[in-house]
Amino acid sequence: IATMYAYYSSFPFKPLEGETVYRYSKPLWVFLFAGALVLFISTSLNLLPSTIYLFGGLLAAALFVAFLILARRGGRYTRL
């Protein structure tokens, strides 16, 4: 369900989050949209072993914490 939400919310239409990312940076939007599409298709068709998803989730959590620390310190990524 989470990959489906990530994929569908990344469309660049007004009420969805993808529209904000698209206005901010088109290359970033393409990267996130393609990643969400690959995750959605691979989970729907059960193409990858579940350990890949575990490591991907751990990496995403680590990146979230890193960006959170940068934002609290007033880093340059706070304007998103």
Side-chain angles (χ1 to χ4, degrees):
I1 292 175
T3 58
M4 182 175 62
Y5 175 75
Y7 172 64
Y8 286 120
S9 68
S10 64
F11 283 104
F13 302 126
K14 189 69 167 165
L16 301 174
E17 292 90 355
E19 193 265 335
T20 306
V21 176
Y22 185 77
R23 275 191 290 125
Y24 178 74
S25 171
K26 288 180 180 70
L28 176 64
W29 175 82
V30 168
F31 177 75
L32 292 175
F33 185 78
L37 177 64
V38 167
L39 278 176
F40 177 63
I41 290 173
S42 66
T43 55
S44 296
L45 299 177
N46 203 14
L47 296 176
L48 299 173
S50 44
T51 54
I52 299 283
Y53 301 118
L54 174 68
F55 290 130
L58 291 174
L59 176 65
L63 287 172
F64 175 75
V65 169
F67 281 119
L68 187 64
I69 290 171
L70 278 174
R72 287 184 158 233
R73 290 185 181 171
R76 65 179 214 174
Y77 295 105
T78 57
R79 290 180 286 170
L80 273 177

